[in-house]
Amino acid sequence: MMRKPLLFAAAAVTALLATACGNVSSSSGAGGGETPPGITADQITIGATLPITGTAAVSGQGLQAGIEIAVDEINANGGIGGRKVTAVILDDGFTPDRVVTNVRRLVSQENVYAIVAPAGSQGLPGTWQFLAESKTPMWGPISPADPKQAEVYLLSATRAAQGAVAIDYFAKKGAKRLAVIKQDNDLGVSAKQALDAQLPKHPDMQLVADETTATGSTEVSSAVNKVVAAKPDAVLLAEDNTSTALILKQLRAQGFTGMVFADQGAGGTGGPSTVGPAGEAAEGFLGGMQADTVSTDNPAVEHWRELAKKSGKLQAESGFSLQTYSFVQAFGELVKRMGDDVSYANFQKTAEGLKSDPIKLGSIPDIECGPLPDGHTCARQAGIAKYTGGKWVVEQEFMAPI
């Protein structure tokens, strides 16, 4: 499959982010005639909650770097329609309760206009009701399931969609016996959704092992032993980065040479915190691609890589950084398209109109949100990369599950 042509390179990115969207209208409120919080004639404030410390710190640092690199670039080129962007980023330590607390603080105390590129697939669902009450948009949360809610816009394939693409890939490669190791949390729920959706489409494929591990536990030996005993051709993982690394090492130590896949958020292409600890066991590991690989020659990625290197930020050159950088770019383009009306009603209207006129960045799948109930999953495609010789190489371009 040929890579989609890049629709605009660095110069065009700068141009779209600097395009004027006018002054704030006094009648452009969230429904009550008042201007939404976090936006003035010369400033727009966005917020995110990220696991900057804790077991997912490497991922969180990359996610933070991507947001900051994009904001720095936008502001250096005049802001979004003349509005400089301020990003308030809070650390949740990879703790679901703190994710919820942080989102409430961002809206109620920091008065952000929107939550942009937050992480925490286990904690973010606990914020859905609060977002509905406040009408605050959440643009590009990292990997939760789609709540089919007006305020929430997913800009990358869900974990379930990535798992479905992986199952299709396994089938294409001739795998007949599939094993799954999943955590007893939302990661595991997503894996089950992928299995339920895709296994009926591959009648020659049999689920020979379906093991569950405890969230936060490093005890994966029992699950690995049972999987190896079942003699699968391929293994689908729905685990956090630390557990994924442990499982990889134990699978390879027991002589398993088959295909092993994990989605981008749980140990795939974004996370050196998986392939680093896994060492030699990571060779041949398959990872989900919600964004292009950082080692590609895609001009959009090359532009981001140059900015990332210059930034000197922790994990700035990781796949997670590329992902959030792209999400903030897309946010800038959406606000530009909104024109003078910055109301939340127009945010939803403009976003749902992307189905007919997608945002095309080149570094991530096209963003083509549509109306609810299903249209806020704005990117249905995922890719697959293989860890080879110390770097990620594209194994399968972006595509949707069959």
Side-chain angles (χ1 to χ4, degrees):
M1 178 180 175
M2 296 296 292
R3 184 183 301 278
K4 293 182 180 181
L6 181 68
L7 297 194
F8 59 86
V13 172
T14 297
L16 70 86
L17 291 173
T19 302
C21 59
N23 294 326
V24 177
S25 170
S26 62
S27 62
S28 59
E34 298 180 357
T35 301
I39 191 164
T40 67
D42 58 6
Q43 181 171 304
I44 181 167
T45 302
I46 62 175
T49 177
L50 302 172
I52 301 170
T53 60
T55 58
V58 172
S59 303
Q61 290 161 4
L63 295 166
Q64 179 183 15
I67 293 173
E68 293 176 345
I69 291 166
V71 168
D72 289 346
E73 182 184 25
I74 291 169
N75 288 340
N77 291 284
I80 304 173
R83 296 186 180 96
K84 293 297 181 74
V85 180
T86 298
V88 180
I89 300 175
L90 304 180
D91 176 27
D92 54 55
F94 200 54
T95 304
D97 288 348
R98 287 176 64 186
V99 171
V100 175
T101 299
N102 284 354
V103 169
R104 287 180 172 272
R105 172 181 163 183
L106 288 167
V107 174
S108 300
Q109 298 179 38
E110 303 295 341
N111 296 315
V112 301
Y113 175 70
I115 310 290
V116 179
S121 60
Q122 299 174 49
L124 289 174
T127 72
W128 298 155
Q129 182 175 349
F130 175 71
L131 292 178
E133 293 168 355
S134 67
K135 306 300 181 184
T136 307
M138 182 173 283
W139 180 257
I142 307 299
S143 295
D146 188 353
K148 302 181 187 298
Q149 180 173 324
E151 293 76 21
V152 183
Y153 302 84
L154 305 185
L155 305 192
S156 54
T158 62
R159 287 190 161 105
Q162 291 178 72
V165 167
I167 292 169
D168 293 343
Y169 173 85
F170 291 154
K172 183 170 65 176
K173 292 297 182 180
K176 305 292 186 183
R177 299 172 63 82
L178 175 65
V180 178
I181 305 178
K182 62 185 188 299
Q183 284 185 334
D184 58 352
N185 53 27
D186 284 350
L187 303 181
V189 171
S190 295
K192 185 178 186 304
Q193 291 172 344
L195 292 167
D196 290 346
Q198 296 309 107
L199 279 181
K201 299 176 183 178
H202 303 289
D204 292 339
M205 185 178 289
Q206 177 186 5
L207 184 62
V208 297
D210 187 356
E211 299 302 317
T212 301
T213 64
T215 302
S217 172
T218 58
E219 173 46 54
V220 297
S221 299
S222 177
V224 170
N225 291 340
K226 291 177 181 178
V227 163
V228 172
K231 299 181 179 179
D233 302 314
V235 178
L236 177 70
L237 299 182
E239 299 275 340
D240 61 44
N241 295 29
T242 300
S243 294
T244 298
L246 291 171
I247 290 168
L248 276 173
K249 292 180 74 171
Q250 292 189 26
L251 284 172
R252 300 314 186 197
Q254 294 195 41
F256 179 76
T257 59
M259 296 175 284
V260 182
F261 173 92
D263 69 77
Q264 173 160 327
T269 54
S273 53
T274 293
V275 295
E280 294 180 357
E283 183 68 20
F285 175 47
L286 298 167
M289 281 180 14
Q290 294 176 315
D292 210 335
T293 61
V294 300
S295 56
T296 187
D297 58 358
N298 182 334
V301 178
E302 291 179 345
H303 172 68
W304 157 81
R305 187 187 301 114
E306 180 180 355
L307 295 174
K309 287 180 178 179
K310 289 180 180 178
S311 76
K313 300 178 185 295
L314 290 173
Q315 300 300 325
E317 297 179 60
S318 74
F320 289 124
S321 170
L322 174 60
Q323 187 176 22
T324 52
Y325 169 83
S326 301
F327 287 2
V328 176
Q329 282 187 335
F331 176 80
E333 166 65 358
L334 181 72
V335 174
K336 188 267 295 190
R337 293 188 185 191
M338 289 171 61
D340 291 345
D341 183 358
V342 294
S343 68
Y344 287 155
N346 194 42
F347 190 102
Q348 180 176 350
K349 178 182 177 181
T350 305
E352 291 185 347
L354 296 176
K355 189 70 175 178
S356 59
D357 186 15
I359 294 174
K360 298 174 180 285
L361 297 180
S363 54
I364 55 177
D366 293 351
I367 300 171
E368 44 187 347
C369 312
L372 291 169
D374 298 314
H376 287 201
T377 294
C378 302
R380 300 183 180 276
Q381 297 180 326
I384 296 177
K386 179 181 287 187
Y387 194 71
T388 304
K391 67 178 183 179
W392 290 102
V393 178
V394 175
E395 175 73 8
Q396 179 175 283
E397 296 281 356
F398 295 126
M399 60 178 59
I402 64 172

